[in-house]
Amino acid sequence: MNIDHFKPAIVYTIYIASTPEQVWQALTSAEFSRQYFSGFAIEAELKVGGSFIARAPDGSVHIGGEVIVCEPPNRLTVTWNVNWPALVEKLGPTLVTYEIEPAGDTVRLTMLQSHDRPIGDDILSGGRQGWPAILSSLKSLLENGSAMTIPMKPPQRMLAALKELGIGAP
């Protein structure tokens, strides 16, 4: 996959009182991710071309993808395709990149959600709501030992925009 044409549509940076290795482990292990990612388990085959899966609490595949860049513990880029075929078909693939950098006694974690085509703000509202909650919960888990529980539903404006594009909810 040529990722040169992908442009970031969502970018978040947070600082975590942790180490790059601990942040990497939290982002790539099912054990950690279940705690901060609303019960979703990340299963990553940590090599270029490896599989990347986020399993829902019921065990179903919610996100399917492939590892594009794997530079532990500093950079991970994966395709992030929701198991919603009509969505991927119409909107194209999504890339998610995690950049992990030491910042004094902390870690700067930057998450980029990138696309190979323009995506409307209404559709991006889902990620703009979800990523801050996921990353905040991750930060809380690593710093305090307990993740945050943040109830979320897909934003109505996102669902309406998808419906307008002819993409029904799964």
Side-chain angles (χ1 to χ4, degrees):
M1 167 180 271
N2 181 353
I3 63 173
D4 294 339
H5 303 313
F6 282 75
K7 303 287 184 230
I10 299 174
V11 178
Y12 288 105
T13 299
I14 61 170
Y15 291 81
I16 305 171
S18 189
T19 66
E21 293 77 15
Q22 289 171 323
V23 172
W24 178 269
Q25 185 180 12
L27 291 170
T28 60
S29 87
E31 174 190 343
F32 270 99
S33 60
R34 276 189 197 97
Q35 296 176 65
Y36 69 82
F37 194 5
S38 301
F40 286 78
I42 299 299
E43 299 172 6
E45 190 179 9
L46 296 174
K47 63 180 184 177
V48 173
S51 66
F52 179 87
I53 295 170
R55 287 196 190 278
D58 67 5
S60 65
V61 174
H62 179 64
I63 305 289
E66 177 183 347
V67 176
I68 305 298
V69 176
C70 185
E71 299 169 359
N74 304 109
R75 185 178 179 91
L76 178 66
T77 300
V78 299
T79 55
W80 184 278
N81 297 314
V82 177
N83 189 12
W84 191 348
L87 181 75
V88 175
E89 183 181 307
K90 290 231 181 179
L91 300 179
T94 298
L95 282 182
V96 171
T97 298
Y98 299 106
E99 297 174 346
I100 304 165
E101 304 168 278
D105 291 338
T106 68
V107 171
R108 178 177 38 249
L109 171 61
T110 302
M111 185 288 312
L112 302 94
Q113 177 182 315
S114 303
H115 301 273
D116 65 354
R117 62 199 73 183
I119 304 291
D121 283 339
D122 288 340
I123 293 171
L124 291 172
S125 68
R128 289 183 176 145
Q129 173 183 299
W131 284 116
I134 293 164
L135 297 176
S136 294
S137 188
L138 167 73
K139 176 180 170 69
S140 180
L141 177 62
L142 288 173
E143 291 183 349
N144 305 321
S146 67
M148 299 167 65
T149 302
I150 303 169
M152 289 187 296
K153 293 181 181 175
Q156 288 303 310
R157 65 188 272 212
M158 180 190 82
L159 295 175
L162 292 172
K163 185 176 181 180
E164 206 171 285
L165 289 172
I167 302 170

